[in-house]
Amino acid sequence: MDKSLYKKITPQGSTYAPLTWEESKRTLASEWSKIRLIVQSEMKSKVFEKALGVFFLAIEPIFMAFVYFFLTQILMRGNLPSGQFLNIYIAVVFWRWLAKTVDGSPVTFASYSSVLKQTNFSVFSLILAYIGVEFAMFLVALMVLFLFATMMGYPPHPSYVYLVFPMMAQLSIMMFLTVLFATAGAFVRDLAGGVNVITGIWFYLSPGIYPVERIPEQYLTYYYLNPFAHILPAYRAIILRHELPPLWPLILITVIGLLCSLGALKLLGRARRHFFSFI
Amino acid sequence: MNDTNTNQGGAPAMGVRIRELALGGQTDRALYNAQLERLLKVNNARRTLSTYEDGDQHWLDRADVEGDGSASLIDRGGFHMVAMSRETVKLSWQGAVDQSGSVAMHMLIDLSSNIDHNLYISLDGDKQRSLRVSNKSLTWVETASVVHLEDRLVFITLVRSPTRVSIYVNGSLKLRKKIDGELKSDRLELNLLGHESADLGALIHGLDVWSLEGEFTGLEHAASGTLQDELNNIIESGDLTEVCDFLATFDDIDLAPVSDKLVGLLDNSLKVIKGFPDWGVDQILSALPEETSAAWRKRHADDLPVPSVKVENVTIRLFKNPAKKWAPQNLIRFRKAPTFDAVSRVSFNVYPGDILGIIGANGAGKSTLLKAINGLVPIQEGAISLYAKPLLLSPGLGIRDELSGSENIRLACCFMGMSTKEADALYPSIVEFSELGEFINQPYKFYSDGMKSRLVFSIATAVAPDIIMLDELLNAGDIGFQQKAARRMEETIDRAKAVIIVTHSVPFVLNRCNKALLLHHGRQMVYGSPHAAVARYLDILRIGDLKKTTEFIAATG
């Protein structure tokens, strides 16, 4: 490529003049600062400037946990393990992090359509900012969970550092699904409804409102193919029992999730130039 | 030397006299008629319609008047055509044109009245082969050849034979183009086509139509001696665009005597710091003898300027209905989604200092092309090379209602590609220009519409990219702020190394752009002189589809 060339656009895509190491560092730092700015702005716009913003973020998981608790009381006729409400509440907080992030992903690029149609703003930065915003909102719910657990007799414990393992596993899966559905959502505008259904079914196939022990043994092999059959019990083990959960399934999920995420990011990079007609 | 370039000596005094009368503001019918009578004799011609000979009423009785505008007699002869807003008025005279041979039409028109670009004169009922008269120029529609007018009172002579059209202004030859085709009708038509923004009035003091038996003669070929003399004068003015416009109005001008001067003009075009008229260079080189142009290209192979943007044969194909592209029923049937070429084989170059205006009717593909240059729309054929960083200036990028003005400034700057440091550096000037004062820290949703538009304009025009791309000129606010905004827009354009602007503003293209690209249904109709591009654009707007007349010649070097 001609060194004086800034960018060449062909039917195969765009190619840029290669960056020096210093330029790459500057670009990365600049993109990081942009992601931070977008996260801050979106948090302010979506949460802090709303009348019920933070309150709703804190209360919603508790409310949902009560609904699930009530339903399971009826379905299982009170035949539930002790601490069932906290079990459900923990699952709801972490599950809603995934569900809200993935459910909203198909409209991520549509919500920035004016930016994407008029600038070359990095879609990678946009998707990372979107994940960052959802993570920040999840942190609010997580703090309330820790507070609630403390009130219920489960105060914070050093074992909480183990949370990094299931959270990394969950984040890698979320990253893959978010990038995948965000990319697909740019082309299929009504994808969001379908994704909602998928995550809804997935929740009931995961041990969120019931313990894994309730699954008949002959189905357990298939059941454990669901990453959340490992991730949700891991959260409970750490928060309620202060135990280190089995690591190898979590590490395996993280590695597979990251590899899939890389593939999805590559797909996004290729799809970006076709967004104009669709978003 | 080509004999058609010389004065033919028959009666140049008639042309001189006509010019004297017109430049003197004289409208007396008898004075012009005396000159026309002499010309009639020289040409052995026959009048088929005349306001000069027939008095006031006779010729108007013969006219068919159509449209919702009006046409009325004026004192001392002639008539006044008026179209208010979107009204039109058409005057036509059946039998005024003798189809058997050549015809000549003479018209004395007062351009103090506003006709905009909207008066069409047709000698054979075909608007595509008509003369468009505007307040500042004449255009032979078929070839988009433009003749500039400087005077308010103009005596126009249009001579049409089956093979050639010639136009004289105030007795001097200004255009001579080859045409192909017999006259299809015996009607003379004058069409004044109104438009929404103005009331139009064509004040025509006199009209004569003749049937000619031979070649038309008796008027001068150039106001200052020969056509070469006139071309010499234009070359010496150093304006390459004017030279190209002049060359575009003559098919048969002999350039050999002025080739050295033209080569000198081309050499000088390389020394100009702002802009490079590649289209003009190509046009002149293609008109010069092959060995001369080859020698020039060889001599300047290494010192031709490098374009900031190079667009080569670009085709952009879009889906007709993108929403259904991925519909399951189409996927199951392996049905290909229908597409159309939004832009087809478009080529142009933008050099440092160039201001390129892209014009065309709605749906012509202008904005799509601009997006493709930015890398926002994929191209299916060709290539686009950018030698500097471009930015498409867009107002209101990523604005959030809940955020304050100051937060929105930082966010919008971020979306325009600036780092937070760069945004911080620009912040004070944006706040100052927007005149928002203490309101800058209030949420955007509480701003008035005027405050909102001032803020988004201030943000959009604060940046200084190497290549500015604009989808329409930006403006904002009340009348006071609009003037300030227009000045800022001018400064932003002047600051950039190169500018590409999609616009519907004809004055901007004529006054600010040094090159223009006209798109029509995605096809490149004209790349080159802003005057030629605007002429064809207006004809497309007024009379619909026109044939493609210009081809881009591969960029120099």
Side-chain angles (χ1 to χ4, degrees):
Chain A
M1 189 171 172
D2 179 357
K3 277 182 183 174
S4 62
L5 204 58
Y6 168 74
K7 183 182 186 180
K8 175 120 183 164
I9 302 164
T10 64
Q12 286 72 44
S14 301
T15 44
Y16 289 83
L19 295 178
T20 61
W21 172 241
E22 281 304 314
E23 286 170 335
S24 300
K25 274 200 305 188
R26 268 202 307 275
T27 305
L28 273 178
S30 169
E31 290 303 311
W32 175 242
S33 72
K34 287 175 190 169
I35 291 170
R36 273 181 25 217
L37 180 68
I38 296 172
V39 171
Q40 285 166 8
S41 303
E42 292 289 344
M43 282 301 287
K44 189 166 183 196
S45 164
K46 287 180 176 174
V47 181
F48 299 119
E49 288 295 323
K50 302 278 186 197
L52 296 176
V54 181
F55 178 75
F56 192 69
L57 273 184
I59 288 300
E60 191 203 11
I62 299 179
F63 180 75
M64 292 305 294
F66 267 117
V67 172
Y68 289 131
F69 180 68
F70 180 68
L71 286 174
T72 50
Q73 282 283 12
I74 294 171
L75 289 172
M76 299 184 187
R77 297 187 180 86
N79 186 19
L80 289 165
S82 62
Q84 173 65 354
F85 178 76
L86 206 51
N87 274 330
I88 292 176
Y89 184 27
I90 290 169
V92 165
V93 168
F94 286 97
W95 180 265
R96 286 194 69 73
W97 176 30
L98 173 119
K100 284 180 75 177
T101 308
V102 175
D103 287 355
S105 61
V107 293
T108 307
F109 294 132
S111 65
Y112 288 99
S113 63
S114 71
V115 174
L116 292 174
K117 281 182 144 182
Q118 294 175 84
T119 71
N120 278 300
F121 195 81
S122 163
V123 280
F124 304 112
S125 296
L126 267 188
I127 203 81
L128 289 175
Y130 169 73
I131 292 171
V133 171
E134 294 300 329
F135 181 70
M137 291 202 269
F138 156 74
L139 284 181
V140 176
L142 188 65
M143 291 304 117
V144 178
L145 169 67
F146 288 156
L147 193 68
F148 192 86
T150 306
M151 286 161 56
M152 299 289 284
Y154 298 93
H157 188 272
S159 63
Y160 277 17
V161 292
Y162 301 148
L163 281 173
V164 74
F165 295 109
M167 282 176 73
M168 281 302 294
Q170 180 169 345
L171 192 61
S172 68
I173 292 168
M174 274 169 46
M175 173 93 96
F176 164 59
L177 294 175
T178 303
V179 176
L180 187 71
F181 287 132
T183 308
F187 298 98
V188 186
R189 292 293 292 271
D190 42 3
L191 184 69
V195 174
N196 262 313
V197 173
I198 293 169
T199 51
I201 294 170
W202 195 2
F203 178 66
Y204 293 106
L205 291 175
S206 305
I209 55 175
Y210 54 84
V212 178
E213 294 75 40
R214 294 270 172 170
I215 302 299
E217 205 172 332
Q218 67 268 32
Y219 298 124
L220 269 180
T221 310
Y222 303 108
Y223 191 80
Y224 277 126
L225 289 175
N226 176 3
F228 279 85
H230 306 278
I231 293 171
L232 290 181
Y235 288 128
R236 290 187 184 122
I238 295 164
I239 294 170
L240 299 178
R241 298 190 294 280
H242 305 149
E243 291 171 357
L244 179 66
L247 286 185
W248 72 263
L250 297 176
I251 291 169
L252 188 65
I253 291 166
T254 307
V255 170
I256 293 171
L258 286 176
L259 288 175
C260 291
S261 298
L262 285 176
L265 286 169
K266 197 165 180 182
L267 181 74
L268 171 61
R270 292 174 70 116
R272 164 51 174 124
R273 66 199 187 95
H274 298 285
F275 280 5
F276 179 81
S277 299
F278 295 90
I279 54 176
Chain B
M1 186 184 289
N2 188 335
D3 65 354
T4 54
N5 293 336
T6 61
N7 287 329
Q8 300 213 333
M14 287 177 282
V16 174
R17 181 64 182 145
I18 286 172
R19 185 160 60 250
E20 282 171 3
L21 291 172
L23 295 184
Q26 186 58 258
T27 59
D28 190 328
R29 192 165 47 187
L31 295 174
Y32 286 96
N33 196 35
Q35 301 309 314
L36 290 173
E37 292 280 2
R38 291 177 65 194
L39 264 179
L40 265 172
K41 277 187 191 162
V42 170
N43 285 284
N44 197 21
R46 179 173 58 86
R47 274 173 157 150
T48 50
L49 178 78
S50 177
T51 68
Y52 289 105
E53 187 188 46
D54 296 339
D56 287 344
Q57 197 56 51
H58 171 68
W59 58 272
L60 190 59
D61 289 342
R62 284 176 58 188
D64 295 323
V65 184
E66 294 172 43
D68 39 12
S70 64
S72 55
L73 289 168
I74 54 174
D75 289 344
R76 301 168 67 184
F79 53 96
H80 194 193
M81 299 167 75
V82 177
M84 310 283 275
S85 186
R86 299 197 70 175
E87 289 177 349
T88 62
V89 56
K90 179 164 98 175
L91 290 179
S92 63
W93 290 269
Q94 191 158 21
V97 177
D98 181 356
Q99 287 174 265
S100 60
S102 302
V103 289
M105 185 215 71
H106 308 277
M107 173 189 274
L108 179 66
I109 182 167
D110 186 341
L111 297 176
S112 304
S113 59
N114 177 28
I115 55 171
D116 208 342
H117 296 268
N118 290 28
L119 180 66
Y120 286 84
I121 301 167
S122 165
L123 287 174
D124 68 354
D126 184 350
K127 283 204 193 79
Q128 300 208 13
R129 290 182 172 195
S130 58
L131 174 69
R132 178 161 51 74
V133 185
S134 85
N135 289 98
K136 288 186 176 170
S137 62
L138 301 177
T139 304
W140 180 249
V141 171
E142 191 177 4
T143 55
S145 310
V146 182
V147 175
H148 302 285
L149 300 176
E150 289 168 1
D151 307 309
R152 294 296 87 194
L153 190 67
V154 180
F155 192 89
I156 301 165
T157 299
L158 169 64
V159 182
R160 190 193 188 288
S161 75
T163 56
R164 203 159 69 174
V165 62
S166 304
I167 295 171
Y168 298 77
V169 175
N170 291 341
S172 304
L173 182 65
K174 292 293 178 184
L175 177 147
R176 186 169 54 213
K177 298 292 284 185
K178 285 179 193 154
I179 57 171
D180 184 19
E182 300 290 328
L183 288 162
K184 290 175 187 161
S185 156
D186 64 350
R187 297 179 81 88
L188 166 70
E189 285 185 9
L190 268 64
N191 274 280
L192 184 62
L193 309 175
H195 60 77
E196 273 167 1
S197 57
D199 296 335
L200 307 180
L203 189 57
I204 295 161
H205 290 287
L207 181 67
D208 242 37
V209 184
W210 301 354
S211 170
L212 298 166
E213 289 187 357
E215 286 285 305
F216 178 79
T217 184
L219 290 181
E220 294 167 275
H221 277 109
S224 53
T226 64
L227 285 176
Q228 256 93 19
D229 292 338
E230 193 160 339
L231 180 55
N232 262 327
N233 289 340
I234 299 173
I235 294 171
E236 277 165 17
S237 76
D239 189 333
L240 192 135
T241 303
E242 260 196 52
V243 172
C244 290
D245 283 343
F246 183 84
L247 294 179
T249 53
F250 292 95
D251 284 330
D252 51 1
I253 191 164
D254 181 10
L255 295 180
V258 288
S259 62
D260 287 346
K261 286 192 171 184
L262 284 172
V263 167
L265 182 72
L266 295 179
D267 289 343
N268 286 339
S269 73
L270 297 174
K271 296 173 192 162
V272 176
I273 298 166
K274 278 186 87 74
F276 178 62
D278 56 329
W279 59 273
V281 170
D282 285 336
Q283 191 178 328
I284 290 172
L285 286 175
S286 64
L288 285 171
E290 208 167 296
E291 60 274 19
T292 309
S293 59
W296 190 90
R297 285 184 195 278
K298 195 176 173 188
R299 197 165 65 246
H300 293 290
D302 297 329
D303 56 359
L304 287 173
V306 177
S308 298
V309 181
K310 190 177 179 74
V311 176
E312 300 163 280
N313 281 318
V314 162
T315 295
I316 303 166
R317 208 158 287 137
L318 299 177
F319 293 109
K320 280 186 175 166
N321 188 354
K324 291 199 170 168
K325 158 77 176 150
W326 299 101
Q329 61 268 33
N330 289 343
L331 294 177
I332 290 166
R333 291 176 197 167
F334 297 103
R335 191 185 287 166
K336 274 194 170 180
T339 57
F340 69 101
D341 285 355
V343 172
S344 181
R345 300 185 70 74
V346 169
S347 300
F348 61 86
N349 293 319
V350 182
Y351 292 84
D354 273 347
I355 302 178
L356 170 73
I358 303 179
I359 53 176
N362 290 332
K366 311 180 292 293
S367 299
T368 307
L369 178 61
L370 203 62
K371 301 276 194 311
I373 298 168
N374 258 284
L376 300 168
V377 178
I379 61 174
Q380 274 63 44
E381 289 171 27
I384 299 167
S385 307
L386 297 161
Y387 291 84
K389 193 174 180 181
L391 181 66
L392 179 63
L393 294 191
S394 314
L397 269 182
I399 291 281
R400 292 280 186 270
D401 273 353
E402 290 79 8
L403 300 181
S404 67
S406 59
E407 287 160 336
N408 270 313
I409 289 173
R410 293 192 170 89
L411 192 60
C413 286
C414 155
F415 286 134
M416 286 199 289
M418 278 180 255
S419 67
T420 44
K421 272 185 193 168
E422 288 168 326
D424 287 342
L426 282 176
Y427 178 83
S429 67
I430 295 172
V431 175
E432 188 192 343
F433 190 83
S434 68
E435 300 174 359
L436 284 173
E438 61 191 30
F439 291 102
I440 201 69
N441 293 316
Q442 296 293 313
Y444 182 80
K445 61 186 170 189
F446 298 130
Y447 286 5
S448 67
D449 287 345
M451 291 161 83
K452 284 178 180 173
S453 67
R454 267 156 39 204
L455 181 63
V456 296
F457 177 88
S458 306
I459 298 170
T461 53
V463 286
D466 292 337
I467 304 169
I468 282 187
M469 300 195 197
L470 269 167
D471 198 345
E472 272 304 336
L473 287 162
L474 310 178
N475 213 329
D478 55 22
I479 292 173
F481 192 82
Q482 276 176 17
Q483 289 169 349
K484 187 178 161 187
R487 279 198 301 277
R488 165 102 148 194
M489 196 70 251
E490 294 285 318
E491 286 164 14
T492 307
I493 287 170
D494 290 340
R495 222 167 39 219
K497 281 185 187 160
V499 178
I500 303 176
I501 178 162
V502 166
T503 182
H504 288 104
S505 168
V506 167
F508 181 86
V509 176
L510 291 177
N511 299 329
R512 289 302 314 271
C513 298
N514 67 329
K515 52 175 72 170
L517 172 72
L518 171 65
L519 294 179
H520 185 51
H521 295 322
R523 286 175 296 127
Q524 179 171 326
M525 300 289 283
V526 179
Y527 167 57
S529 160
H531 294 290
V534 163
R536 189 136 291 262
Y537 170 54
L538 292 170
D539 291 329
I540 287 170
L541 288 184
R542 308 286 190 259
I543 59 179
D545 272 1
L546 290 166
K547 289 171 200 153
K548 183 176 179 179
T549 59
T550 58
E551 289 279 357
F552 175 79
I553 302 160
T556 315

